[in-house]
Amino acid sequence: MAYRDGRNSPFRRLLYIQIRGHRALKRDGVLFLIKKLVRKIKYLTFRTTCSIWFCKSLNEPVDSITAQLDIDIKFLVEDKSRLINWLRERNERFPWMYKSKEIELAETDKHIYVSILHNSDIIGYIKVGINNVYIHDFDKIVFFPKDSAFIYDTFILPEYRGNKIALYALSKTIHFLNKAGFQRLWCHIEKWNIASLKTFQKAGFTPKGSIRFSRVLGLPFFVKDGYMPLITLNTFIRE
């Protein structure tokens, strides 16, 4: 007879949800729970984001960049544990940093995490995806060709910004990927992120179009440049 773990039964899950709800009700009150429920329903029924997609040919040279601080760059493929722990510890303050789906796929497909250090302390990172990449903005896994890589997240601690660190780390990453045999590097940046837009354009990235993602009642929709429907992102990447 097969053993059944009662911890995963529907009854146990329902009981767990009830206990959590009761505790939250005692701690935060009815109004808080109602607001949380409304946010959850809104998230599930409608969600939209819009970003500009950029691409750079890695055969094109990159201008020499010098950071205004002493910076060390580490390219992590096999052992990302120190940086992943750093992301987990700061996730409450910066909630986009640590996503379990992203981390799991990064480990499985050997994504390249770029650790940016100052005096041996981590002060930022660049996440480079290859093959299958989980893009949190779309809640979707996107497949990239073997000759292409994708920067899906960059970050510098606020107290270190303004020292050309991001541009310096980006130039080193481009050089590393070029030596590794990649030919194209993609990224996507939301229109409001002016600092990142300037940094990537200075590094030679050119815009390939804007993509709006919407999820209505659970169904995803992609629209390019405001009016052209996209069946899949993979079609756009291969254009």
Side-chain angles (χ1 to χ4, degrees):
M1 180 181 295
Y3 173 71
R4 294 183 179 180
D5 189 350
R7 292 175 297 178
N8 294 321
S9 68
F11 174 76
R12 291 294 295 270
R13 290 198 296 269
L14 179 60
L15 181 61
Y16 175 69
I17 293 171
Q18 289 177 335
I19 292 173
R20 285 190 61 186
H22 180 68
R23 289 175 178 173
L25 181 62
K26 290 181 64 177
R27 183 179 66 249
D28 304 309
V30 177
L31 185 60
F32 173 82
L33 287 182
I34 292 174
K35 289 181 178 178
K36 186 175 181 179
L37 180 61
V38 169
R39 287 196 301 268
K40 186 68 172 179
I41 293 173
K42 183 178 178 181
Y43 179 84
L44 292 174
T45 56
F46 180 76
R47 181 186 177 195
T48 184
T49 63
C50 186
S51 55
I52 303 172
W53 281 64
F54 292 84
C55 188
K56 176 177 175 56
S57 170
L58 296 182
N59 295 322
E60 299 172 356
V62 181
D63 293 338
S64 178
I65 304 296
T66 302
Q68 296 175 356
L69 290 176
D70 184 19
I71 297 298
D72 190 19
I73 305 292
K74 301 290 185 184
F75 296 97
L76 313 175
V77 179
E78 297 296 336
D79 184 7
K80 308 178 183 70
S81 56
R82 183 189 175 195
L83 181 55
I84 289 174
N85 289 334
W86 188 89
L87 299 173
R88 186 187 293 111
E89 291 167 359
R90 286 156 183 79
N91 192 53
E92 185 174 349
R93 182 182 177 192
F94 306 106
W96 65 89
M97 276 188 174
Y98 185 92
K99 300 295 179 184
S100 57
K101 289 183 181 179
E102 175 189 291
I103 298 296
E104 289 170 8
L105 200 58
E107 294 279 56
T108 302
D109 277 40
K110 306 297 182 184
H111 292 181
I112 303 160
Y113 277 18
V114 184
S115 186
I116 305 170
L117 303 102
H118 173 61
N119 293 333
S120 299
D121 295 325
I122 298 174
I123 63 168
Y125 62 84
I126 298 175
K127 298 173 186 171
V128 180
I130 58 175
N131 301 322
N132 296 295
V133 181
Y134 173 74
I135 301 180
H136 172 67
D137 287 355
F138 304 152
D139 191 19
K140 182 178 178 61
I141 295 174
V142 178
F143 177 76
F144 284 82
K146 289 184 178 180
D147 65 348
S148 298
F150 176 73
I151 292 180
Y152 54 92
D153 197 8
T154 62
F155 179 80
I156 304 295
L157 285 172
E159 57 266 34
Y160 290 96
R161 294 173 188 170
N163 293 294
K164 298 183 178 180
I165 296 171
L167 186 57
Y168 173 76
L170 184 55
S171 67
K172 293 294 185 182
T173 301
I174 290 169
H175 181 74
F176 176 87
L177 293 172
N178 184 19
K179 292 294 185 182
F182 291 94
Q183 296 180 17
R184 295 197 299 173
L185 180 59
W186 289 84
C187 73
H188 72 131
I189 306 170
E190 293 187 343
K191 294 181 179 180
W192 57 263
N193 195 341
I194 303 300
S196 290
L197 289 172
K198 289 181 177 178
T199 296
F200 277 81
Q201 287 176 317
K202 286 180 180 177
F205 284 76
T206 56
K208 295 299 181 180
S210 65
I211 295 181
R212 176 169 291 279
F213 164 76
S214 300
R215 189 186 297 277
V216 181
L217 297 177
L219 297 176
F221 299 92
F222 295 93
V223 177
K224 178 185 174 185
D225 297 331
Y227 68 95
M228 296 175 59
L230 276 177
I231 297 176
T232 66
L233 282 172
N234 299 101
T235 303
F236 170 74
I237 292 167
R238 285 171 171 77
E239 288 180 350

